[in-house]
Amino acid sequence: MSFGVSFSSDASRVMVGGAAAKIHDVASGEILVAKTLTAEAMVCKFSPDDSRVLACGFAKAVVWDAKTGDFLPTWDFEGALEGTWGGGWHPTDSNIVLLNFHDHSMKVVNISSKPRETLLHLVGHEGQVSISSYSSDATRICSCSESKDVILWDAKSGEKLWRKETGLLYNWVSFLGTDNSL
């Protein structure tokens, strides 16, 4: 079964998640990279410069080189990332990921630092964070949870700007245009 799908920025490659995450050449359908994962990839995303891919789901997050398939040498696959549900990339920095955790929180993490550095720890949802996203200018983060609430965060300070009870369970969130509308 396939889950997450993501195109590279030039639309020449597509990543399809599942128990084996695969990157295909769009023109030919050829599999360029295939990775067998210990957990099914629900979220699959290319980094902003298309050099890396992030796969998250069912308590794991992994990052690897999009051309070679080699896992990042500084990435810790055990322990610290248990409980990861989903995530995404900073819109302009291929070293920064936003990860959603089962404990109702999110972390903004520099995956290239040694040791890996948590830049922000965002806590405020009453349920598991189901989806999160950066604004295109990287000034805001929006997140939705299984407790049917939406929170808007300042992406630099981690300050909660507002929280709304919606009564709806969101599976997708995105900022529209450059004015940071949701």
Side-chain angles (χ1 to χ4, degrees), residues 46-61:
F46 279 90
S47 63
D49 66 3
D50 293 332
S51 67
R52 297 173 174 168
V53 291
L54 170 68
C56 302
F58 297 124
K60 291 283 184 186

Side-chain angles (χ1 to χ4, degrees), residues 34-54:
K35 299 300 284 185
T36 301
L37 305 174
T38 58
E40 299 212 27
M42 302 285 290
V43 174
C44 299
K45 296 187 178 176
F46 279 90
S47 63
D49 66 3
D50 293 332
S51 67
R52 297 173 174 168
V53 291
L54 170 68

Side-chain angles (χ1 to χ4, degrees), residues 15-152:
M15 180 180 176
V16 180
K22 297 175 183 175
I23 298 174
H24 296 265
D25 177 83
V26 170
S28 68
E30 175 188 357
I31 296 172
L32 303 173
V33 177
K35 299 300 284 185
T36 301
L37 305 174
T38 58
E40 299 212 27
M42 302 285 290
V43 174
C44 299
K45 296 187 178 176
F46 279 90
S47 63
D49 66 3
D50 293 332
S51 67
R52 297 173 174 168
V53 291
L54 170 68
C56 302
F58 297 124
K60 291 283 184 186
V62 293
V63 173
W64 65 86
D65 184 286
K67 292 199 187 294
T68 67
D70 294 336
F71 287 109
L72 264 63
T74 59
W75 193 259
D76 177 10
F77 295 102
E78 302 300 328
L81 294 179
E82 291 291 332
T84 308
W85 177 250
W89 293 96
H90 183 283
T92 60
D93 191 335
S94 294
N95 294 311
I96 307 296
V97 294
L98 172 63
L99 298 172
N100 308 335
F101 289 86
H102 288 294
D103 69 359
H104 310 173
S105 74
M106 297 173 298
K107 290 184 180 178
V108 176
V109 180
N110 181 337
I111 60 171
S112 293
S113 63
K114 293 181 184 179
R116 186 179 57 247
E117 179 184 9
T118 298
L119 305 173
L120 290 174
H121 186 201
L122 306 171
V123 179
H125 285 287
E126 294 177 17
Q128 176 181 307
V129 179
S130 53
I131 193 73
S132 60
S133 179
Y134 269 98
S135 61
S136 61
D137 64 2
T139 62
R140 303 282 187 257
I141 294 170
C142 184
S143 57
C144 305
S145 81
E146 290 185 348
S147 58
K148 300 179 181 177
D149 60 341
V150 177
I151 298 178
L152 186 69

